Amino acid sequence: MDFLELYEQAATRRTDLAGFYNRNVRVETDKGPVLVRIRSAASEPMDLACWSEAELLAALDGHVPAAPGLLHAARNPDFQVHEYVPGRRVDELAPDGQPLPEAVLKAIEGLFRTLLRVPAAALPPTAADWPQDGDTPGFAGMLLALVREIRHRGDAAVHDLYEALGVPDDPCRAFAARAHQLARRPFRLLHGDIHRKNMIMNGDGRVSFLDWELALWGDPVYDLADHLHKMSCTPGDRRTLTEAWERSAPEECRDGWRADLDFYLGYEAMKSVVVDTVRWGRRIAGTDDADERSRLSLELAGKLAAARPHWNADAPTLKEPREIEAAVVRCLMRS
């Protein structure tokens, strides 16, 4: 199999299978389809990263059956070739807000159980400055440092938009004051991005989990919080998934987990505003469709409302969607 030729075929094709960090293109070969995964050079990092995805997938072979197989990886050009996983994305079977199929709920519980038991020795080494095993306050500190960096990364127009929407200069202050209170738990492998678009269910009910680029070595409670934040679950599914994680987690991973789950859920709501003020703002500014602008502005208003309780005295006045749209026009579309 000529992998460079596969890359060249994929690079010229348009695809709807595009995430924030990668484009995914199905390419046919004489041995069946494969997935060519091409790194998006222009994407700004909005998430922590611990390893290269290819390095991790190679290490997971034999440890996490629900992860796709890695067939090839290259650095220049930057692409991977994965086994093609047939089936339907879970967001197609059950869009946000709808109950998840029973097979999906069981598969997520199985993934949590597997991840929580992958030995550290099987994984690639972490960076020298990565927090030591069990240092949950240090892990949370890295998460907070990332959000602070994102908040001050943009140009003057982005900074003006943050101010117009009332996003505090230090959106992490209340979380930083609480981070040292996190219970110390042993670190585990975290997927870091388990949501409906990253799960494929085939005709037999088997579920595969894609996109391991954001996998981390860290506090296992964070993986549950990140998952719940991104899934837009029904209250029943949310309860089921939380109970599933509790059943799956070894005793040493459950110390103080309920209180710390609330910490990380609040963090995710706060981070979502910092990241999506930029992403949604650019989407609003980039469309002439009035209905689309209104929809995106309503979504961003919801994110601001969810983050507001975590800003204490710095909490901004709630913004109406029309105010958000006007702020985007004023800040991002000025000449």
PDB file of all heavy atoms in Angstrom, residues 44-58:
ATOM      1  N   GLU A  44      -5.751  26.720  15.644  1.00  0.00           N
ATOM      2  CA  GLU A  44      -5.115  27.175  16.876  1.00  0.00           C
ATOM      3  C   GLU A  44      -5.372  26.154  17.979  1.00  0.00           C
ATOM      4  O   GLU A  44      -6.503  25.676  18.114  1.00  0.00           O
ATOM      5  CB  GLU A  44      -5.698  28.518  17.313  1.00  0.00           C
ATOM      6  CG  GLU A  44      -5.468  29.656  16.371  1.00  0.00           C
ATOM      7  CD  GLU A  44      -6.174  30.909  16.867  1.00  0.00           C
ATOM      8  OE1 GLU A  44      -7.414  30.944  16.870  1.00  0.00           O
ATOM      9  OE2 GLU A  44      -5.464  31.860  17.257  1.00  0.00           O
ATOM     10  N   PRO A  45      -4.381  25.813  18.794  1.00  0.00           N
ATOM     11  CA  PRO A  45      -4.620  24.852  19.870  1.00  0.00           C
ATOM     12  C   PRO A  45      -5.560  25.419  20.929  1.00  0.00           C
ATOM     13  O   PRO A  45      -5.293  26.477  21.495  1.00  0.00           O
ATOM     14  CB  PRO A  45      -3.223  24.579  20.430  1.00  0.00           C
ATOM     15  CG  PRO A  45      -2.405  25.772  20.038  1.00  0.00           C
ATOM     16  CD  PRO A  45      -2.975  26.255  18.749  1.00  0.00           C
ATOM     17  N   MET A  46      -6.663  24.736  21.170  1.00  0.00           N
ATOM     18  CA  MET A  46      -7.637  25.132  22.165  1.00  0.00           C
ATOM     19  C   MET A  46      -7.763  24.095  23.277  1.00  0.00           C
ATOM     20  O   MET A  46      -8.633  24.211  24.141  1.00  0.00           O
ATOM     21  CB  MET A  46      -9.014  25.340  21.513  1.00  0.00           C
ATOM     22  CG  MET A  46      -9.057  26.444  20.484  1.00  0.00           C
ATOM     23  SD  MET A  46      -8.943  28.095  21.247  1.00  0.00           S
ATOM     24  CE  MET A  46      -9.326  29.148  19.847  1.00  0.00           C
ATOM     25  N   ASP A  47      -6.920  23.061  23.217  1.00  0.00           N
ATOM     26  CA  ASP A  47      -7.004  21.964  24.177  1.00  0.00           C
ATOM     27  C   ASP A  47      -5.602  21.515  24.559  1.00  0.00           C
ATOM     28  O   ASP A  47      -4.643  21.686  23.787  1.00  0.00           O
ATOM     29  CB  ASP A  47      -7.752  20.777  23.560  1.00  0.00           C
ATOM     30  CG  ASP A  47      -9.150  21.139  23.109  1.00  0.00           C
ATOM     31  OD1 ASP A  47     -10.059  21.134  23.962  1.00  0.00           O
ATOM     32  OD2 ASP A  47      -9.332  21.441  21.913  1.00  0.00           O
ATOM     33  N   LEU A  48      -5.505  20.921  25.738  1.00  0.00           N
ATOM     34  CA  LEU A  48      -4.244  20.303  26.130  1.00  0.00           C
ATOM     35  C   LEU A  48      -3.955  19.103  25.241  1.00  0.00           C
ATOM     36  O   LEU A  48      -4.879  18.423  24.782  1.00  0.00           O
ATOM     37  CB  LEU A  48      -4.305  19.821  27.579  1.00  0.00           C
ATOM     38  CG  LEU A  48      -4.169  20.839  28.707  1.00  0.00           C
ATOM     39  CD1 LEU A  48      -4.207  20.117  30.046  1.00  0.00           C
ATOM     40  CD2 LEU A  48      -2.895  21.652  28.573  1.00  0.00           C
ATOM     41  N   ALA A  49      -2.703  18.828  25.020  1.00  0.00           N
ATOM     42  CA  ALA A  49      -2.281  17.620  24.315  1.00  0.00           C
ATOM     43  C   ALA A  49      -1.120  17.006  25.077  1.00  0.00           C
ATOM     44  O   ALA A  49      -0.278  17.723  25.617  1.00  0.00           O
ATOM     45  CB  ALA A  49      -1.875  17.943  22.878  1.00  0.00           C
ATOM     46  N   CYS A  50      -1.116  15.700  25.115  1.00  0.00           N
ATOM     47  CA  CYS A  50      -0.095  14.991  25.898  1.00  0.00           C
ATOM     48  C   CYS A  50       0.874  14.233  25.002  1.00  0.00           C
ATOM     49  O   CYS A  50       2.067  14.194  25.283  1.00  0.00           O
ATOM     50  CB  CYS A  50      -0.810  14.033  26.856  1.00  0.00           C
ATOM     51  SG  CYS A  50       0.217  13.281  28.131  1.00  0.00           S
ATOM     52  N   TRP A  51       0.337  13.627  23.949  1.00  0.00           N
ATOM     53  CA  TRP A  51       1.138  12.828  23.029  1.00  0.00           C
ATOM     54  C   TRP A  51       0.697  13.121  21.598  1.00  0.00           C
ATOM     55  O   TRP A  51      -0.366  13.685  21.372  1.00  0.00           O
ATOM     56  CB  TRP A  51       0.913  11.335  23.281  1.00  0.00           C
ATOM     57  CG  TRP A  51       1.136  10.867  24.676  1.00  0.00           C
ATOM     58  CD1 TRP A  51       2.341  10.732  25.324  1.00  0.00           C
ATOM     59  CD2 TRP A  51       0.140  10.440  25.625  1.00  0.00           C
ATOM     60  NE1 TRP A  51       2.149  10.247  26.597  1.00  0.00           N
ATOM     61  CE2 TRP A  51       0.817  10.065  26.817  1.00  0.00           C
ATOM     62  CE3 TRP A  51      -1.246  10.343  25.597  1.00  0.00           C
ATOM     63  CZ2 TRP A  51       0.151   9.604  27.940  1.00  0.00           C
ATOM     64  CZ3 TRP A  51      -1.915   9.878  26.713  1.00  0.00           C
ATOM     65  CH2 TRP A  51      -1.234   9.520  27.867  1.00  0.00           C
ATOM     66  N   SER A  52       1.481  12.682  20.634  1.00  0.00           N
ATOM     67  CA  SER A  52       0.987  12.672  19.259  1.00  0.00           C
ATOM     68  C   SER A  52      -0.030  11.539  19.163  1.00  0.00           C
ATOM     69  O   SER A  52       0.112  10.489  19.808  1.00  0.00           O
ATOM     70  CB  SER A  52       2.118  12.460  18.258  1.00  0.00           C
ATOM     71  OG  SER A  52       2.531  11.101  18.235  1.00  0.00           O
ATOM     72  N   GLU A  53      -1.070  11.762  18.366  1.00  0.00           N
ATOM     73  CA  GLU A  53      -2.124  10.754  18.256  1.00  0.00           C
ATOM     74  C   GLU A  53      -1.577   9.440  17.715  1.00  0.00           C
ATOM     75  O   GLU A  53      -1.943   8.355  18.194  1.00  0.00           O
ATOM     76  CB  GLU A  53      -3.247  11.266  17.357  1.00  0.00           C
ATOM     77  CG  GLU A  53      -4.423  10.313  17.265  1.00  0.00           C
ATOM     78  CD  GLU A  53      -5.548  10.854  16.400  1.00  0.00           C
ATOM     79  OE1 GLU A  53      -5.242  11.571  15.412  1.00  0.00           O
ATOM     80  OE2 GLU A  53      -6.704  10.570  16.705  1.00  0.00           O
ATOM     81  N   ALA A  54      -0.695   9.512  16.724  1.00  0.00           N
ATOM     82  CA  ALA A  54      -0.149   8.292  16.147  1.00  0.00           C
ATOM     83  C   ALA A  54       0.656   7.503  17.175  1.00  0.00           C
ATOM     84  O   ALA A  54       0.560   6.273  17.253  1.00  0.00           O
ATOM     85  CB  ALA A  54       0.718   8.637  14.938  1.00  0.00           C
ATOM     86  N   GLU A  55       1.444   8.205  17.962  1.00  0.00           N
ATOM     87  CA  GLU A  55       2.249   7.549  18.989  1.00  0.00           C
ATOM     88  C   GLU A  55       1.347   6.844  19.995  1.00  0.00           C
ATOM     89  O   GLU A  55       1.616   5.708  20.405  1.00  0.00           O
ATOM     90  CB  GLU A  55       3.108   8.608  19.688  1.00  0.00           C
ATOM     91  CG  GLU A  55       4.063   8.072  20.734  1.00  0.00           C
ATOM     92  CD  GLU A  55       4.854   9.188  21.412  1.00  0.00           C
ATOM     93  OE1 GLU A  55       4.318  10.308  21.536  1.00  0.00           O
ATOM     94  OE2 GLU A  55       5.995   8.934  21.812  1.00  0.00           O
ATOM     95  N   LEU A  56       0.263   7.499  20.377  1.00  0.00           N
ATOM     96  CA  LEU A  56      -0.637   6.896  21.352  1.00  0.00           C
ATOM     97  C   LEU A  56      -1.364   5.695  20.757  1.00  0.00           C
ATOM     98  O   LEU A  56      -1.463   4.638  21.399  1.00  0.00           O
ATOM     99  CB  LEU A  56      -1.650   7.925  21.838  1.00  0.00           C
ATOM    100  CG  LEU A  56      -2.685   7.367  22.826  1.00  0.00           C
ATOM    101  CD1 LEU A  56      -2.018   6.907  24.112  1.00  0.00           C
ATOM    102  CD2 LEU A  56      -3.772   8.377  23.120  1.00  0.00           C
ATOM    103  N   LEU A  57      -1.901   5.830  19.534  1.00  0.00           N
ATOM    104  CA  LEU A  57      -2.629   4.714  18.936  1.00  0.00           C
ATOM    105  C   LEU A  57      -1.746   3.486  18.787  1.00  0.00           C
ATOM    106  O   LEU A  57      -2.200   2.352  18.988  1.00  0.00           O
ATOM    107  CB  LEU A  57      -3.197   5.125  17.579  1.00  0.00           C
ATOM    108  CG  LEU A  57      -4.406   6.051  17.610  1.00  0.00           C
ATOM    109  CD1 LEU A  57      -4.800   6.454  16.199  1.00  0.00           C
ATOM    110  CD2 LEU A  57      -5.583   5.399  18.324  1.00  0.00           C
ATOM    111  N   ALA A  58      -0.499   3.687  18.455  1.00  0.00           N
ATOM    112  CA  ALA A  58       0.430   2.545  18.373  1.00  0.00           C
ATOM    113  C   ALA A  58       0.572   1.878  19.727  1.00  0.00           C
ATOM    114  O   ALA A  58       0.615   0.642  19.832  1.00  0.00           O
ATOM    115  CB  ALA A  58       1.786   3.015  17.848  1.00  0.00           C
TER     116      ALA A  58
END
